[in-house]
Amino acid sequence: MSRQSFSALSLILRSLSRHSSWQKQWRKAEPKAEYDAIIVGGGGHGLGAAYYLAKEHGMTNIAVLEKGWIGGGNTGRNTTIIRSNYLFNESAALYDHSVKLWEGLSQALNYNVMFSPRGVMMLAHTVHDIQVFKRHVHANRCNGVDNEWLEPQQAKEFCPPLNIENNIRYPVLGAALQRRGGTARHDAVAWGYARAADAVGVDIIENCEVIGIRRGTNGAVEALETTRGIIRSRKVGVSAAGHTSVVMRMAGVHVPLESYPLQALVSEPVKPIFPCVVMSNTIHAYISQSDKGELVIGAGTDAYTSYTQRGALHINTHTLDAICELFPNFRRLRMMRNWGGIVDVTPDRSPIIAKTEVPGLYVNCGWGTGGFKATPGSAHVFAWTIARDEPHPINAPFTIERFRDGFLIDEAAAAAVAH
Amino acid sequence: MLIIDCPYCGKRPEIEFSYGGQAHLARPQQPAQLDDQAWAEFLYMRTNIKGVYAERWRHARGCGRFFNALRDTTTDHFLAFYKTGEPRPTLPAQHERTT
């Protein structure tokens, strides 16, 4: 299937016909009776997995089922931070695999995902923070992941709006900076993967909710019952984020997940004022500026599990308290919108990308509060796992069985808070 | 913010409480006799119900006591509050769906 290529030249040429000759970016596919593989969940991770299945593993008779619309879940609700400065070797390999794919993603997809490696700076406010972040810096460098320690004055030079005075409750004592980290345009990631997957033959089926998983006499996956009929497939990859527990229970598989609301908010748009991404795990502030000019602010998870896609306002105000102390310039900005997504959190805050006890059923879940950054890498190794029925070396440690066998990848303890 | 009806103190705002996760999980009497799978189930596996969920809350900034609640995780509406040790209340049939 040929797709119109996006380039400056095609933009100019099609302007001559007043941009009336552009194709739809992907087809509205009708479900077929049978596929070689089905991905459940049309977010970035699911669409990406379908794309890599087709592109790298030659499987073109595949479908992505999405109960709502493409990128309408957590892919369109996150704060778009990309980084790979995780402590443990397994995590560093996984997240840095992703950063490397981000770096060439716009070219690979012929779609501008607006990846902007503007630097992610994580603030230290206590002696404990300093020790932990310096440990991260050293661990990262051993793993070939860039990360460097900044004194407060250097942090201020990198991010001029930052308040490094002693007049706040938790003054800035230093920072860890990953220069290769940054942001990308979240919607473009979903649309770019959808368009590229469609171009290699993947059926993207929206408004199609999975309501049952049929298994054969040998226990293997045979078909999915959906709101648009029964669709047969012997390989099913579940990439359903906050609803993974619900989908997996249809096949009788329990995953160690809890689903929590995670909120974010944006300010009114202003002129460019904020040059990087700043995170503070200790006082819960996560902030960057979008290319539209809005300050994009991440809040924490709510205390309780929920599927409502909304949370409590005091969670947002808590974050804004910290933002206003760190960046006094922003105190009079008005907040424009806030929203929530449902994130699936594992006990060790590391994902699960693995085969399951059910033959033909694969799961990619547990990304918790930080899945966006991992989208390309996660999708890439998940596709490998589905196509070859065995994990890629990078995701081999991220099994469900690690909780039984005691091989946790405990980024929860490493970060001490949601990250 | 949720309004939580502590069985000991009455209705208070959510910020007075801390969340205790899934209710009615009993620590095994003889942990040493469990195999790894059963121990992992106890430690890590939660039902994560989309629907009516029995959960623990603690009135951390009030009386300090734990109690249980039934909440619909699709709406966040509380359906019942009850003291620790009491059985899970039975709800009218329309609330008992769990997916």
Side-chain angles (χ1 to χ4, degrees):
Chain A
M1 203 169 316
S2 71
R3 277 277 167 262
Q4 292 170 339
S5 174
F6 290 154
S7 66
L9 181 64
S10 68
L11 193 64
I12 293 165
L13 289 176
R14 290 189 194 277
S15 72
L16 300 176
S17 57
R18 294 174 181 269
H19 296 293
S20 60
S21 59
W22 292 107
Q23 293 172 336
K24 294 240 188 259
Q25 297 196 13
W26 60 88
R27 295 164 292 133
K28 286 263 178 252
E30 291 298 316
K32 290 194 274 191
E34 180 160 10
Y35 290 96
D36 294 337
I38 295 178
I39 304 290
V40 179
H45 291 243
L47 292 164
Y51 167 73
Y52 292 115
L53 272 173
K55 194 77 178 176
E56 301 202 346
H57 302 282
M59 296 178 68
T60 51
N61 183 31
I62 55 183
V64 177
L65 308 186
E66 165 54 49
K67 75 171 175 179
W69 65 95
I70 292 305
N74 294 348
T75 299
R77 293 166 185 265
N78 65 83
T79 54
T80 77
I81 297 172
I82 295 167
R83 61 186 179 87
S84 60
N85 51 355
Y86 283 73
L87 182 64
F88 294 111
N89 297 348
E90 297 88 344
S91 317
L94 177 61
Y95 289 102
D96 211 51
H97 181 52
S98 203
V99 167
K100 286 172 184 157
L101 287 171
W102 277 115
E103 287 164 352
L105 195 62
S106 291
Q107 285 71 30
L109 299 180
N110 180 232
Y111 206 100
N112 186 4
V113 299
M114 296 165 70
F115 175 58
S116 165
R118 59 186 69 177
V120 173
M121 195 165 74
M122 303 175 76
L123 302 180
H125 303 274
T126 65
V127 172
H128 174 72
D129 281 351
I130 295 172
Q131 292 168 344
V132 167
F133 284 172
K134 285 187 173 174
R135 185 182 174 204
H136 272 72
V137 167
H138 296 310
N140 289 157
R141 292 176 127 180
C142 289
N143 278 318
V145 176
D146 73 304
N147 199 356
E148 61 194 87
W149 176 254
L150 302 183
E151 295 299 328
Q153 189 58 41
Q154 294 171 298
K156 171 96 178 156
E157 285 162 15
F158 190 73
C159 181
L162 181 65
N163 176 15
I164 57 169
E165 303 302 321
N166 279 326
N167 59 359
I168 62 175
R169 175 66 182 85
Y170 291 102
V172 175
L173 301 182
L177 170 65
Q178 185 179 23
R179 292 182 190 272
R180 284 163 66 232
T183 61
R185 170 96 162 91
H186 48 5
D187 293 325
V189 177
W191 299 335
Y193 271 125
R195 174 172 168 272
D198 178 86
V200 283
V202 174
D203 280 358
I204 295 166
I205 303 164
E206 294 172 274
N207 299 309
C208 182
E209 181 175 358
V210 172
I211 51 178
I213 298 177
R214 290 192 181 179
R215 296 168 62 184
T217 47
N218 62 349
V221 171
E222 280 191 341
L224 295 178
E225 297 166 17
T226 78
T227 51
R228 298 180 66 176
I230 292 167
I231 309 173
R232 291 195 304 277
S233 181
R234 297 199 175 278
K235 283 176 184 272
V236 171
V238 175
S239 191
H243 278 73
T244 302
S245 299
V246 176
V247 176
M248 296 301 281
R249 192 170 294 122
M250 295 171 192
V253 177
H254 288 220
V255 275
L257 295 174
E258 290 192 290
S259 296
Y260 287 91
L262 178 67
Q263 297 182 79
L265 58 164
V266 293
S267 74
E268 58 190 326
V270 290
K271 288 189 174 178
I273 186 171
F274 204 74
C276 59
V277 180
V278 170
M279 303 175 57
S280 171
N281 290 344
T282 301
I283 59 174
H284 300 163
Y286 309 91
I287 182 169
S288 64
Q289 188 174 21
S290 74
D291 290 353
K292 272 191 291 184
E294 303 150 333
L295 294 176
V296 182
I297 296 167
T301 53
D302 279 78
Y304 46 85
T305 63
S306 177
Y307 288 86
T308 56
Q309 290 191 322
R310 59 175 184 261
L313 198 58
H314 70 269
I315 304 289
N316 291 326
T317 55
H318 173 70
T319 289
L320 292 175
D321 287 346
I323 297 281
C324 289
E325 287 223 315
L326 289 174
F327 309 102
N329 283 358
F330 299 159
R331 284 184 177 169
R332 295 174 68 184
L333 271 179
R334 284 166 294 193
M335 292 299 131
M336 194 163 63
R337 300 190 308 277
N338 71 313
W339 63 90
I342 300 302
V343 299
D344 43 327
V345 177
T346 58
D348 62 0
R349 303 298 187 275
S350 287
I352 296 166
I353 317 168
K355 296 168 67 170
T356 67
E357 68 214 43
V358 175
L361 183 66
Y362 308 86
V363 67
N364 181 1
C365 65
W367 290 97
T369 57
F372 178 75
K373 66 174 79 71
T375 303
S378 149
H380 183 257
V381 296
F382 192 41
W384 174 296
T385 306
I386 294 170
R388 304 192 181 205
D389 195 37
E390 63 179 25
H392 187 284
I394 286 177
N395 68 307
F398 293 88
T399 61
I400 300 177
E401 291 77 21
R402 73 174 185 265
F403 296 98
R404 178 196 66 199
D405 300 337
F407 292 105
L408 302 194
I409 304 162
D410 204 351
E411 294 292 345
V417 294
H419 59 277
Chain B
M1 188 181 299
L2 305 177
I3 302 296
I4 297 175
D5 194 354
C6 171
Y8 304 97
C9 309
K11 292 180 178 173
R12 301 293 174 84
E14 180 195 331
I15 49 171
E16 291 189 12
F17 296 83
S18 58
Y19 186 64
Q22 187 177 334
H24 305 298
L25 290 173
R27 186 179 174 88
Q29 293 289 333
Q30 304 287 343
Q33 292 175 8
L34 264 54
D35 64 12
D36 289 352
Q37 186 63 43
W39 186 238
E41 294 274 337
F42 167 69
L43 281 183
Y44 299 125
M45 293 295 179
R46 301 293 178 264
T47 57
N48 200 25
I49 291 292
K50 184 178 184 182
V52 177
Y53 195 47
E55 62 192 11
R56 299 190 310 160
W57 287 88
R58 180 168 177 252
H59 196 179
R61 291 157 198 87
C63 65
R65 279 187 272 198
F66 276 100
F67 58 93
N68 294 336
L70 296 182
R71 182 174 52 91
D72 187 338
T73 60
T74 63
T75 61
D76 290 340
H77 287 155
F78 282 107
L79 302 167
F81 294 95
Y82 54 106
K83 293 177 181 174
T84 300
E86 293 178 354
R88 174 179 170 149
T90 309
L91 295 171
Q94 72 267 22
H95 291 305
E96 283 296 353
R97 70 195 162 80
T98 50
T99 52

